[in-house]
Every structure is written in structure tokens, then in C-alpha cells.
Amino acid sequence: MTPTRKRRLKTLTGASSVISASNDIEPSTGAKRAVELARKAEAEKITGLFTADLLHIDPAGLAGTAGIQEPIIALAALSQATSQIGLIATVSTTFHHPYNLARQIGTLDHASGGRTGWNAVTSSVGEENFGETLPSPEERYERAAEFIEVVNALYDANERDAAQRKGSGAVGIDPAKFHRIDYRGKHFSVAGPLNVPPLPQRRPVQFQAGQSEAGMTVGARYAEVVYTSQPKLEDAIAFATDLRRRAVSFGRGSDLPFIMNSFHAVIGESDADVARRLKEKHERIDYEQGRLKVADMLGGDLDLSGLPLDRPLPDTLLPEVTSINRRRGRVEIFRRYARQGLTLRELIIQAQETGHWSVAGTPEQLADAIEERVIAGVLDVLSLHGFGNPDQEDLLVNGLLPELRRRQLIDTDYVGEDFRSNLELPPLASPTAIQASQTG
């Protein structure tokens, strides 16, 4: 009998922008660079490409280039230049409709040969572009839960053989094998059926981001991979324990959801090189803009312009988390930092990583930090940075990744035929079993 293969840590990296710039020699420069970096990531057997998204331009420039491209269209372009790497689009459940999203992501799954995932976020900005006020976090996550239910029901309803290839090469469909869902909820009323034939993966992989109370509940109930910011090991352990307890209460067992962290690393060749790179990174910080960034991390309604850099923030300035209508998880992290006595300067440095897990070290030291979380059972998927960064790419490709492989922490090749199998997710329950569980 062949022994069961131990599942290894899965890796993601950000998909590069396909956008052209005014000083490009040709309009396709951005797309060509994005393809080149996607192919590099695939050659390194990175499990997936991840796209973040925002639905506005941040006037203070705090968000960098996040949101300057539509994720699904950008990934559709990259799907035709790659063959194995997964493709994850971030989508707002507050400002999209589930039927349209099911069609778009479903079509991408067909176009990519079964390599899609979508990251459900509830959006904390951009409401002005939709003529709406921003609902409370509780309302946004209530809508997100319905949104995911609708999308999954649409994917599960149609019969696997609803589409058949004809001898001519064209596709024929049997309308009798496309079924209604007749979903009626507080936020959505969707009859169905979905007019996209069943997907290669049946469902795209469900990612979800959000670590507030309401966000954790949605993740525990519906997500297959939860994206969370946990800068310290003790925070990661507490989060994983709570998330898995909630998942078990929903009857999911202890194997889902997987937990994903973004790893913000400064890689150096030696301790001295790491110290030099870290010093140079801190010297490049615009501390006046940094005040705005810390204020944003604390909910956005603070004026830190007159405060001394080398003193802690007055406790009276810190907002109550429940008074914030935007990213409460991020506010919790920076409230905790401030109450630990970090100075404003130190908070500004932390804000460069926006509350994510950040480590500076040699490839061996970084691998130690990653391995510690894997052994603790709080890390299943890791987002790595460095592709396309001249200062870090070589140390990532020829330093950290080989060290992780040497320790047998990450895959040396793709292990399946689609994104689900490459992530080594548990098999989806049959549609019949899902319907029985929802009606029972």
C-alpha cells in the first residue's frame, strides 16, 4: 500500500499589472511584463497568482497601484500564457452581483482549464463610485454570505454533461440539464439557471479575506482558504484556533478552511546585508506620509500631523474597534501595536507592511520563520513577494525557494491537473449531499 503523501505548504505571488504607462515604448509593455513574471512564477512551481483589488484611487497614494486593473480580465490574459499556475481574482461582494460574477469566474475557469479561484472581500472603500453609502461590516458580511451561497448554488445546479463537443468541434448544450436555483434571500433573488456550462473544477476555489468577528464567521462557514494578516506567531495561533472552532461548529471538520498569510520579507545574503537592506528601506520612508498611513490603519479619522515621532500615541486617540465602519481587523492590529507602547515612528515602519507578517533575514532565517508556523499548524498557503523586484528576485528564486524545497516544505512540481488538486483541497461534496445538508 502506497503511503499517503504529506501535504506541503502552498505558495502564491501577486500577478503583475498588465496596464500600459504613458512612457512605454509600446502599449503592450505592461502585458508582456506580466506574462514574463507569471511564467517565471510557474517555472518555480508557485501554486497560484493572486490579484488584490480596490474600487477607487486613493488620493493620498497610500494604496500604491492596487486597483488599477480589473482582476478577472487581467487573469484571463495571463491564463493564455500559462498552463498550470492558479489564478485568483479578488471580487467585492458589496459592489458586484453574484450571477454576473458566476458567469465571469466560470468562463475564466473554462478558459484556463480549471485554474481559477476568487477571493471574496466586502470592500471598505469605493462606495462613492456606486452611488451608495458603505453598509456596516455586519451588513456587508451578511450580504457576502448570501453572495457566496448564490454563486455556489448556480455552479452546483447544472448537470455535468450539459455541454457536449460536436464532431464539427463546436459545443452543443442540452437546456434540460441547466437547472434553476430559485434562491430567495434578504439581499438577492436569483432564479437561475447559470447559463455557463459546468466548470472543469465544478467550483472555483473559494478564498475569503476578513478577520473581524463577522468576517471570521463567513470564512469559517464558506471559505476554502482564508486570507488573514497575523504579524505575530501568537496572533496566528489564536486566529487559527478560533477559526477552526467556528468551522467545526458549522459541521466542516478540522481540515478546512486553509489559512493563508502574506509574507513581507526583506531577504539578505548575510546578517550584515540584511541590516543594510533594512536600514536603506527605513531611510526611504516618507514619515509625513507615514502619519497618514498610520491614521488609515487606525480607521482613517485621526490627525497625527502634530505628534512627535519618537513618543507613543496618546491612548485617548485610539478608536474603539466597533466604532469603525471599514477595516476593523487592521484597526485591531494597530490598536494593539499602539497599546504595546510603539512610538509613532515605529508605527509608521509597521504601517509600511499594512499589518502583515514581516520578517527580515537570510534565506535560512526566513525559512526558519516559515517552518515555525507550518509546524504550529497555522499556515497552509503563503503569499511571497519578490518577483519583478530587481533587489529581491534573485534572493527569492535562488535563496529562499531552494531552502524551502530543501526542507521539503513546498512542492517541487505541480501535483494535480487543476487548481483544486494543486492546493490539495479535500474533494467537494456531491451537489446532492450539499442540497441535503442545506435542507436537513
Side-chain angles (χ1 to χ4, degrees), residues 121-395:
V121 299
T122 61
S123 293
S124 60
V125 296
E127 67 275 12
E128 69 279 6
N129 295 321
F130 298 87
E132 300 179 18
T133 56
L134 188 69
S136 70
E138 291 75 18
E139 292 172 307
R140 298 201 304 271
Y141 281 109
E142 181 183 68
R143 176 185 166 102
E146 283 195 16
F147 193 111
I148 294 169
E149 287 180 355
V150 171
V151 170
N152 287 343
L154 288 167
Y155 288 139
D156 289 342
N158 296 339
E159 296 178 39
R160 292 298 300 166
D161 59 350
Q164 295 285 325
R165 183 75 54 191
K166 297 179 180 179
S168 66
V171 168
I173 62 167
D174 181 351
K177 295 186 176 183
F178 289 74
H179 299 293
R180 294 168 64 98
I181 62 168
D182 291 317
Y183 185 96
R184 300 289 182 270
K186 177 179 176 181
H187 299 275
F188 300 108
S189 178
V190 179
L194 180 66
N195 60 349
V196 175
L199 279 52
Q201 294 187 105
R202 209 185 93 199
R203 289 184 189 176
V205 178
Q206 184 68 68
F207 287 69
Q208 183 262 351
Q211 56 197 56
S212 65
E213 178 71 20
M216 287 185 69
T217 297
V218 170
R221 185 167 190 172
Y222 300 103
E224 294 173 291
V225 182
V226 167
Y227 181 16
T228 177
S229 304
Q230 301 299 334
K232 305 295 182 186
L233 177 62
E234 57 268 28
D235 300 329
I237 291 171
F239 177 87
T241 302
D242 191 5
L243 183 70
R244 287 167 180 154
R245 176 189 59 78
R246 294 174 192 235
V248 168
S249 75
F250 290 120
R252 299 190 72 188
S254 60
D255 54 349
L256 284 177
F258 290 171
I259 296 173
M260 170 186 166
N261 286 172
S262 182
F263 189 57
H264 291 213
V266 174
I267 316 174
E269 296 177 1
S270 64
D271 289 344
D273 187 42
V274 171
R276 175 187 65 80
R277 290 171 185 270
L278 206 53
K279 179 174 180 291
E280 291 175 355
K281 179 178 179 179
H282 292 169
E283 288 173 347
R284 290 192 295 268
I285 294 174
D286 180 340
Y287 283 90
E288 291 310 303
Q289 188 187 52
R291 295 173 186 269
L292 298 176
K293 196 150 192 170
V294 172
D296 183 56
M297 294 295 104
L298 286 167
D301 294 326
L302 301 180
D303 180 3
L304 306 180
S305 57
L307 297 179
L309 285 173
D310 295 310
R311 291 185 184 175
L313 295 185
D315 197 60
T316 53
L317 275 182
L318 303 180
E320 289 299 324
V321 173
T322 54
S323 72
I324 302 299
N325 198 29
R326 298 191 185 271
R327 296 181 298 180
R328 287 182 179 174
R330 206 59 49 87
V331 175
E332 287 175 357
I333 289 171
F334 276 82
R335 260 182 60 93
R336 189 158 61 243
Y337 282 156
R339 300 195 79 168
Q340 288 169 356
L342 269 67
T343 66
L344 178 54
R345 185 187 302 276
E346 291 168 330
L347 289 172
I348 290 170
I349 290 170
Q350 291 292 338
Q352 306 310 301
E353 314 304 337
T354 61
H356 288 290
W357 180 23
S358 175
V359 183
T362 63
E364 295 77 15
Q365 290 165 345
L366 297 178
D368 286 343
I370 293 167
E371 188 169 26
E372 182 179 40
R373 291 205 180 193
V374 172
I375 291 171
V378 298
L379 181 62
D380 303 293
V381 181
L382 184 68
S383 181
L384 295 166
H385 302 260
F387 287 102
N389 179 345
D391 188 51
Q392 292 284 276
E393 185 177 300
D394 181 66
L395 287 164

Side-chain angles (χ1 to χ4, degrees), residues 13-14 32-47 49 78 81-82 85 386-390 392-394 396-398 401 405 414:
T13 193
K32 288 179 177 177
R33 180 176 184 270
V35 165
E36 176 189 354
L37 294 175
R39 285 174 171 166
K40 279 185 180 180
E42 190 168 65
E44 293 298 324
K45 311 305 178 185
I46 300 298
T47 320
L49 295 173
L78 297 180
T82 55
I85 197 166
F387 287 102
N389 179 345
Q392 292 284 276
E393 185 177 300
D394 181 66
L396 172 66
V397 171
N398 297 309
L401 290 175
R405 292 188 197 105
Y414 294 101

